[in-house]
């Protein structure tokens, strides 16, 4: 294959911090990592890795995936099964391990646990270790992102204590049924007025051709989520339905309390009133909304563009229709500059134990360096032949998920640092011929989505700005007002009441913290 250059701690957690502080050791010991790195060049060191596992088999010494990782990365990987359960059980079990002084060598942190661990010296200061011993990883993440990580250092010293996840391209967009537009003789909408006319035609002119008025022009899900395309045209920073932070009038501001949001909610409420928004939008869970899309009923929806093939293939399976979706250009609205939100920063992907066993520490750095060497990404993605993939016509093809037989592909740098070139090339190189019609649409739309993507100013902001204000972090007040305005239960004038309540219930303090963080990032 030829590839292009891929350009809350719980109570147990409190105990864990106390237990680990006294015995974690320090990387600045008299015996330096460099001295130990040469010891036993061919020696395979095993390290314990914890991360997401939603039911796959663990990795134990001598198993097939252990041998693959050992061959490709030069390190043995032990990965015990820990039930994920949305991260809740994982965090509880992690805290218990830390409390028992059995912290994994490399692990995915959850719910801000890395802040307390860093303050207590339990995880390694990576500021100098990464450029020296894991240059592939160091160079894969741009300097401005490392600057944000340093600004987020809970010790206030500007150090690096975690490895961020990164998406190096705009992943989201509105997707619209191009085949429906063609059938109705309509052009791709450019302005909001054009867009509304398209939705009206989807509602009234039977584009799915079944003789029933069952089309849903557009829609979304519970809590006004996954309908970001309707907010995007007003320049509202939204991320999967969560209001976010961007510059408004030159100041970092929570998008939910801006005039932009007020205008967007007024527009969406009119769509709902006019029958252009699925009447069950605010009741739909993921399965229900996906079911409507794949039943050939939805004309326009918002999601990850790279997952379009799932809906295309399920729609064909359910109805026999080979649908065609295109990226919806952000409709133009006078007085606003629209965009689809792009957040390069993903939650922390890895932290490293502050290991007094220097061989373990250096093995962990070796693993990180080799894992983020792009030449290893395809083998890591494909996994073990016969378990995770098979060869078909000389081409590797991923096998369906089988949690009863497949060991967990815990090392997934292609997901932790996603690049557009890698993802599109991966799609082409691993899809069977009978799926290429869908994959070609995905790749074309992934490229198109970049035209409308914008990195927001609040990208990488730490969750700590919400400390003490859980209701603001959970969007409790926003969801109440947004849903009632959309449903017509509140007039749009109630939006001003929402903004006032939000500010008085902690919004002013959160905004102060957010702006202080932004000033630190921009130093």
């Amino acid at each position: 294959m030829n590839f292009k250059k891929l350009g809350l701690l719980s109570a147990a957690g409190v105990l864990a911090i106390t237990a680990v502080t006294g015995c974690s050791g320090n990387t600045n010991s008299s015996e330096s990592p460099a001295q130990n790195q040469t010891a036993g060049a061919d020696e395979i060191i095993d390290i314990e890795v914890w991360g997401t596992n939603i039911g796959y088999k663990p990795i134990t010494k001598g198993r097939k995936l252990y041998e693959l990782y050992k061959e490709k990365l030069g390190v043995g990987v032990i990965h015990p099964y820990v039930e994920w359960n949305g991260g809740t059980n994982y965090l509880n079990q992690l805290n218990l391990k830390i409390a028992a002084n059995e912290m994994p060598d490399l692990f995915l942190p959850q719910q801000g646990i890395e802040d307390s661990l860093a303050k207590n010296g339990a995880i390694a200061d990576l500021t100098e270790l990464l450029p020296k011993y894991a240059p592939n990883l160091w160079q894969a993440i741009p300097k401005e992102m490392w600057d944000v990580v340093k600004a987020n250092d809970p010790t206030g010293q500007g150090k690096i204590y975690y490895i961020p996840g990164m998406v190096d391209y705009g992943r989201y967009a509105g997707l619209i049924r191009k085949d429906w537009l063609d059938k109705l003789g309509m052009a791709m909408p450019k302005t909001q007025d054009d867009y509304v006319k398209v939705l009206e035609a989807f509602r009234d002119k039977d584009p799915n051709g079944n003789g029933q008025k069952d089309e849903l022009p557009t829609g979304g899900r519970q809590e006004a989520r996954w309908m970001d395309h309707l907010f995007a045209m007003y320049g509202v920073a939204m991320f999967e339905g969560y209001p976010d932070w961007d510059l408004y009038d030159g100041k970092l501001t929570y998008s939910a309390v801006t005039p932009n949001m007020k205008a967007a909610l007024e527009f969406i409420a009119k769509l709902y009133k006019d029958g252009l928004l699925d009447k069950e939008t605010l009741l739909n869970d993921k399965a229900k909304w996906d079911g409507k899309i794949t039943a050939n009923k939805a004309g326009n929806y918002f999601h990850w563009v790279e997952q379009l093939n799932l809906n295309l293939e399920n729609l064909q399976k359910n109805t026999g229709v080979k649908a065609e979706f295109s990226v919806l250009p952000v409709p133009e609205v006078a007085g606003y500059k629209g965009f689809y939100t792009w957040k390069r920063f993903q939650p922390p992907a890895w932290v490293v134990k502050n290991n007094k066993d220097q061989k373990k520490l250096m093995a962990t750095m070796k693993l990180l360096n080799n894992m983020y060497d792009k030449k290893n990404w395809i083998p890591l993605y494909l996994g073990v032949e016969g378990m995770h993939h098979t060869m078909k016509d000389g081409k590797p093809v991923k096998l369906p998920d089988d949690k009863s037989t497949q060991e967990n592909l815990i090392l997934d740098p292609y997901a932790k640092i996603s690049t557009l070139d890698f993802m599109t090339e991966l799609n082409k190189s691993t899809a069977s011929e009978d799926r290429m019609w869908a994959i070609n649409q995905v790749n074309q739309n992934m490229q198109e989505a970049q035209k409308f993507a914008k990195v927001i100013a609040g990208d990488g902001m730490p969750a700590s700005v919400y400390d003490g204000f859980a209701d603001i972090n959970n969007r409790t007040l926003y969801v109440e007002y947004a849903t009632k305005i959309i449903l017509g239960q509140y007039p749009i004038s109630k939006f001003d009441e929402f903004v006032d309540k939000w500010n008085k219930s902690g919004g002013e303090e959160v905004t102060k913290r957010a702006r202080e963080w932004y000033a630190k990032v921009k130093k």
Side-chain angles (χ1 to χ4, degrees), residues 244-274:
D244 219 302
W245 297 77
D246 201 15
L247 297 179
Y248 295 91
D249 294 327
K251 294 181 179 180
L252 191 71
T253 304
Y254 187 52
S255 68
V257 297
T258 60
N260 307 58
M261 176 64 81
K262 184 177 183 178
L265 288 174
E266 186 173 23
F267 171 65
I268 297 166
K270 188 173 189 313
L271 293 183
Y272 183 85
K273 181 181 178 182
D274 294 344

Side-chain angles (χ1 to χ4, degrees), residues 223-224 231 236-238 241-245 253-266 466 471-486 490-508 510-511:
E223 300 185 342
F231 296 90
V236 175
M238 294 285 275
Y242 295 92
D244 219 302
W245 297 77
T253 304
Y254 187 52
S255 68
V257 297
T258 60
N260 307 58
M261 176 64 81
K262 184 177 183 178
L265 288 174
E266 186 173 23
Y466 297 106
D471 282 353
I472 288 184
N473 192 22
N474 295 332
R475 316 168 347 276
T476 306
L477 200 63
Y478 165 76
V479 170
E480 176 192 345
Y481 276 81
T483 55
K484 288 182 177 178
I485 289 171
I486 291 169
Y490 276 175
I492 192 62
S493 59
K494 293 280 276 187
F495 180 82
D496 300 330
E497 177 182 286
F498 154 67
V499 174
D500 185 57
K501 283 186 177 180
W502 186 87
N503 280 312
K504 289 177 178 175
S505 64
E508 287 182 352
V510 171
T511 300

Side-chain angles (χ1 to χ4, degrees), residues 345-361:
F345 249 92
Q346 300 298 292
W350 302 110
V351 293
V352 176
K353 178 181 179 180
N354 189 6
N355 213 322
K356 62 183 177 182
D357 180 340
Q358 294 295 299
K359 285 188 177 181
K360 287 267 191 180
L361 179 61

Side-chain angles (χ1 to χ4, degrees), residues 177-230:
R177 285 291 294 267
K178 176 67 164 54
D179 50 341
W180 285 12
L181 288 175
D182 292 345
K183 183 176 180 178
L184 299 174
M186 302 187 78
M188 185 67 71
K190 292 183 179 179
T191 67
Q192 186 182 82
D193 288 344
D194 295 340
Y195 177 64
V196 170
K197 287 174 185 174
V198 164
L199 297 185
E200 290 170 344
F202 285 177
R203 178 192 64 192
D204 300 332
K205 295 186 177 180
D206 191 30
N208 69 11
N210 67 356
Q212 302 175 42
K213 196 169 183 178
D214 59 353
E215 287 83 359
L216 306 169
T218 193
R221 298 193 216 159
Q222 298 158 322
E223 300 185 342
R225 292 193 61 206
W226 294 101
M227 44 200 285
D228 300 25
H229 59 301
L230 303 177

Side-chain angles (χ1 to χ4, degrees), residues 228-371:
D228 300 25
H229 59 301
L230 303 177
F231 296 90
M233 60 188 84
Y234 289 94
V236 175
M238 294 285 275
F239 192 74
E240 299 182 358
Y242 295 92
D244 219 302
W245 297 77
D246 201 15
L247 297 179
Y248 295 91
D249 294 327
K251 294 181 179 180
L252 191 71
T253 304
Y254 187 52
S255 68
V257 297
T258 60
N260 307 58
M261 176 64 81
K262 184 177 183 178
L265 288 174
E266 186 173 23
F267 171 65
I268 297 166
K270 188 173 189 313
L271 293 183
Y272 183 85
K273 181 181 178 182
D274 294 344
L276 301 177
L277 192 71
D278 176 18
K279 287 294 183 185
E280 295 182 319
T281 287
L282 300 177
L283 300 173
N284 290 330
D285 59 13
K286 174 175 170 55
K288 193 169 185 179
W289 182 227
D290 285 353
K292 293 174 180 180
I293 296 167
T294 59
N296 200 26
K297 292 183 178 180
N300 174 216
Y301 76 102
F302 178 87
H303 208 264
W304 291 26
V305 181
E306 63 205 65
Q307 292 189 351
L308 170 62
N309 60 297
L310 301 178
N311 281 336
L312 287 170
E313 291 166 348
N314 285 328
L315 197 156
Q316 182 194 26
K317 180 181 176 182
N318 295 340
T319 68
V321 173
K322 277 191 173 182
E324 183 182 356
F325 279 93
S326 292
V327 166
L328 171 70
V330 178
E332 297 169 6
V333 183
Y336 297 92
K337 188 170 179 60
F339 60 89
Y340 292 129
T341 295
W342 171 11
K343 292 179 74 170
R344 287 198 300 181
F345 249 92
Q346 300 298 292
W350 302 110
V351 293
V352 176
K353 178 181 179 180
N354 189 6
N355 213 322
K356 62 183 177 182
D357 180 340
Q358 294 295 299
K359 285 188 177 181
K360 287 267 191 180
L361 179 61
M362 295 317 299
T364 306
M365 301 312 296
K366 180 178 182 179
L367 176 66
L368 288 170
N369 189 54
N370 291 336
M371 176 168 56

Side-chain angles (χ1 to χ4, degrees), residues 70-109:
K70 184 175 76 171
E71 175 195 346
K72 297 295 180 184
L73 307 175
V75 176
V77 173
I78 304 298
H79 168 60
Y81 177 73
V82 179
E83 182 185 4
W84 181 247
N85 189 25
T88 303
N89 192 65
Y90 170 89
L91 181 59
N92 290 338
Q93 294 301 308
L94 180 62
N95 281 330
L96 290 173
K97 288 288 283 186
I98 295 169
N101 194 30
E102 296 174 354
M103 180 190 288
D105 300 296
L106 179 70
F107 61 95
L108 167 73

